[in-house]
Amino acid sequence: MVTTKELIRENNEKREQLTEENEQYYTNMLVYIRSKFLLSERATEELLMEMLEHLLEGQNDGKSAEKIFGGDPRAYADEVIAQMPKEKKKNQLLFGIQLIFSVLGWMVIARGAILGVLSFIKPVDEHLYLASTAAMVVAVLMMTVFGVLLLMNMVNKTAFEEKKSTWKFAIIGGISGVLVFGLFMGIAFFFKGRGPAIEFPWLASLLVGFVMLLLSQWLARKNEGTS
Amino acid sequence: MSVRSELLKGILDGCMLAVIEKETVYGYELSAKLHQVGLDDVSEGTIYPVLLRLQKNKWITGEMRASESGPRRKYYTLTEEGKEALSFIRSEWGKLAVPVNVLLKGETGDGDN
């Protein structure tokens, strides 16, 4: 059976055969449906492929996307979404764990790399303070979830806008960036050296980070296989 | 929306099941068949939400295959439950169509059709 990833790749290739007008109509709908949270990814991609093949065949017969799917693409997409199966709970959980491993992996790698470089310049404190670390991890994970939800929501809201207002994205992105940076600096400052300390050298940090990323990759592949 | 498409809405599930019962079809084919028999004011896209609902009810199953000519298509087949549902819809439609014809057309209703 064809994998979901292959369907996405094929979709990208086949979309190029659409006329400009049909491509616009179809891509808006694709973005809108894909950005809907918690829909089964497999079912989403199968449906998008079906609709694309239908549109291509209709295009050959001289029909427009508007004729096939109607004059109100958002209403039509909502009608379709209402009938779409949700992602299985197990896959949602696997995706969550995968995201956590990936975020933590990069965090730990970044720590290892920074300490590693600094250690050549001056002596560094290679201890991990449990309370400080816990605070930082919770903050980063919460920000990640919040950021992903915010982004998906914005993409969803703007999918059918005539002129994609990139400046809106830029402003919201910039403000969130500053806020997040400030939050992290605050945590780093107020939670400095709190809790019991354990030694965690920079090289070990790099290694653990890589293992976490590998685990995340492995989970992603496992998830792909079952959905 | 026209009166005709309003009326059709309630029975479209049955019409689509009947097409799929005859042979395994994919989306474009299905909409073409509906148009051929004269149901030509359903916009083609209308079939996709219905197909999803029929799959959710387990009345049909869809299988994604690549056809020989290239396009990747999802072929739909009726399940046992779908056959039962269709025969139920058929009998319900019969109970409705006969009296409605009597009233609207002035047919006698005791004929063979």
Side-chain angles (χ1 to χ4, degrees), chain B:
Chain B
M1 194 175 273
S2 71
V3 175
R4 205 175 346 147
S5 53
E6 262 322 306
L7 286 173
L8 181 59
K9 229 191 246 169
I11 196 67
L12 185 59
D13 291 29
C15 297
M16 285 170 56
L17 285 173
V19 173
I20 299 171
E21 184 196 34
K22 264 197 203 149
E23 58 190 313
T24 298
V25 287
Y26 65 97
Y28 197 84
E29 228 178 343
L30 175 61
S31 77
K33 293 219 152 109
L34 292 175
H35 278 226
Q36 266 168 31
V37 296
L39 301 174
D40 48 8
D41 63 344
V42 215
S43 102
E44 293 176 26
T46 313
I47 62 170
Y48 289 102
V50 180
L51 282 170
L52 284 166
R53 189 172 59 237
L54 296 179
Q55 286 176 88
K56 225 194 254 176
N57 291 347
K58 300 200 170 22
W59 291 353
I60 58 172
T61 55
E63 197 202 348
M64 199 112 223
R65 293 202 294 257
S67 69
E68 297 96 45
S69 52
R72 195 171 284 288
R73 288 166 177 159
K74 195 165 174 180
Y75 290 91
Y76 292 99
T77 319
L78 215 59
T79 63
E80 280 306 314
E81 281 160 288
K83 280 177 197 160
E84 280 168 31
L86 178 58
S87 74
F88 180 69
I89 293 174
R90 277 201 174 108
S91 78
E92 290 297 292
W93 174 252
K95 284 178 204 159
L96 203 61
V98 174
V100 169
N101 271 337
V102 170
L103 285 172
L104 295 185
K105 278 190 175 171
E107 282 178 11
T108 48
D110 55 6
D112 286 331
N113 48 342

Side-chain angles (χ1 to χ4, degrees), chain A residues 2 7 10 14 46-47 49-51 53-54 57-58 61 63 67-69 76 79-80 82-85, chain B residues 26-28 31 35 43-53 56 62 64 70-74 76:
Chain A
V2 60
L7 281 178
E10 252 183 60
K14 283 182 179 161
E46 282 195 3
L47 181 87
M49 181 55 79
E50 267 189 294
M51 285 164 50
E53 292 286 8
H54 193 124
E57 213 163 333
D61 294 343
K63 291 177 227 163
K67 170 138 197 313
I68 294 173
F69 300 113
Y76 177 68
E79 215 178 301
V80 170
Q83 301 299 334
M84 291 268 285
Chain B
Y26 65 97
Y28 197 84
S31 77
H35 278 226
S43 102
E44 293 176 26
T46 313
I47 62 170
Y48 289 102
V50 180
L51 282 170
L52 284 166
R53 189 172 59 237
K56 225 194 254 176
M64 199 112 223
R72 195 171 284 288
R73 288 166 177 159
K74 195 165 174 180
Y76 292 99

Side-chain angles (χ1 to χ4, degrees), chain A residues 136-152:
Chain A
M136 196 51 116
V137 165
V138 168
V140 168
L141 289 180
M142 270 168 55
M143 283 300 120
T144 308
V145 170
F146 182 71
V148 168
L149 288 179
L150 182 76
L151 190 71
M152 280 178 83

Side-chain angles (χ1 to χ4, degrees), chain A residues 177-193:
Chain A
V178 171
L179 285 177
V180 167
F181 184 73
L183 180 77
F184 289 157
M185 290 307 281
I187 289 175
F189 183 76
F190 287 111
F191 283 83
K192 197 173 167 61

